[in-house]
Amino acid sequence: MYLGIETSSAVSSVALMDTTKLVGELTVQAGLTHSEQLVPHIELLMQQSGVAKSDIEGIAVSIGPGSFTGLRIGLGTAKALAYAWQVPLLGVMTMDVLAHNFWQWEGLIAVMIDAQKKNVYEGLYRWEDNQMRCVQEPTVKVRTDALTTLGELKEPVTVVGDGIIKVAATVSDFGTNLTVGPTTMRIPRASSLLLAALPRFLRQEPDEALTVAPYYIRRSEAEVVWDAKHPELAAQMKGQEPTVVVTEAAPALSDEVPHA
């Protein structure tokens, strides 16, 4: 049994899956913070599914790009549980998660995650040879430029992710080949996270828990502002690990999750 944790956006999603079926999933967009709802959701899902902590063989967690705060909370929780339960931890790109909503989908899948200031993180995927393949690695683009380029392609393109929420109604204006994914499929879900992670779990290729870190692509706004206010210190720290990358473990949560 595997636990999936997805907190890269405003969506909080947790799921339980074994090698043959989805056992349970709880996905909520209620406006609450992940710090308020993540652990209670894990506890509720395990109770309702009749799953004990001793049943968990591995944990998969979304690592971004996405919300800086959400990723820290999700990854901190996943690390704490993996340590407490002594199970493997696996980090999965948020774009891979969104793409796996579209199992056996025809056409190009364009994943766009909000990068603020009219920019998006864009990754392109295609279902080929019975698996989801990434055909363009995540990169930062101006949203209108990305949509214009996609609209010039000679094939159907399905656009998903919170990066197109503000322009969803006008996406087809950039090209008649562009459509927005269905409402339930345009958000990252923990079940799709586990679909992406399962092959690696079965190959016994988990990440080293201490080395799993959020994948931000670019630095946070807070760091940019800090550097502008402290140019000399910023120059000295150039090349060092970003301060926003999680290195500390979250408080142990094992006692808050049902025991066998």
Side-chain angles (χ1 to χ4, degrees), residues 181-211:
T183 303
T184 57
M185 299 170 67
R186 69 178 72 160
I187 60 174
R189 306 178 69 99
S191 54
S192 294
L193 168 74
L194 289 173
L195 274 179
L198 189 58
R200 286 175 60 191
F201 275 129
L202 296 179
R203 294 195 302 266
Q204 297 185 344
E205 297 178 352
D207 297 310
E208 175 61 42
L210 292 178
T211 66

Side-chain angles (χ1 to χ4, degrees), residues 33-71:
T33 65
H34 295 302
S35 60
E36 293 178 284
Q37 58 188 2
L38 179 57
V39 173
H41 284 177
I42 294 173
E43 181 178 12
L44 176 62
L45 179 63
M46 293 181 70
Q47 289 176 341
Q48 293 294 313
S49 302
V51 173
K53 67 174 186 178
S54 57
D55 297 323
I56 303 298
E57 303 173 68
I59 299 173
V61 61
S62 180
I63 61 172
S67 162
F68 286 80
T69 301
L71 291 171

Side-chain angles (χ1 to χ4, degrees), residues 116-253:
Q116 304 299 322
K117 299 182 179 179
K118 299 183 180 181
N119 295 319
V120 293
Y121 303 115
E122 182 198 60
L124 302 179
Y125 293 79
R126 193 187 305 278
W127 181 264
E128 294 178 333
D129 300 326
N130 204 36
Q131 61 182 305
M132 189 63 68
R133 296 185 181 277
C134 179
V135 297
Q136 177 197 286
E137 295 293 333
T139 185
V140 180
K141 294 184 178 181
V142 176
R143 179 169 47 226
T144 53
D145 291 348
L147 289 170
T148 298
T149 299
L150 293 172
E152 295 171 350
L153 299 179
K154 305 300 182 182
E155 64 174 318
V157 180
T158 302
V159 187
V160 298
D162 63 6
I164 49 91
I165 290 177
K166 296 178 181 178
V167 297
T170 60
V171 162
S172 60
D173 293 345
F174 291 88
T176 56
N177 63 322
L178 302 183
T179 58
V180 178
T183 303
T184 57
M185 299 170 67
R186 69 178 72 160
I187 60 174
R189 306 178 69 99
S191 54
S192 294
L193 168 74
L194 289 173
L195 274 179
L198 189 58
R200 286 175 60 191
F201 275 129
L202 296 179
R203 294 195 302 266
Q204 297 185 344
E205 297 178 352
D207 297 310
E208 175 61 42
L210 292 178
T211 66
V212 180
Y215 180 68
Y216 293 132
I217 297 184
R218 67 180 188 183
R219 305 167 74 238
S220 70
E221 187 69 17
E223 284 194 311
V224 173
V225 172
W226 190 91
D227 283 357
K229 292 181 178 179
H230 308 86
E232 294 184 0
L233 286 175
Q236 294 175 15
M237 297 175 64
K238 187 176 182 180
Q240 296 183 20
E241 288 295 317
T243 58
V244 291
V245 173
V246 174
T247 56
E248 71 280 3
L253 303 174

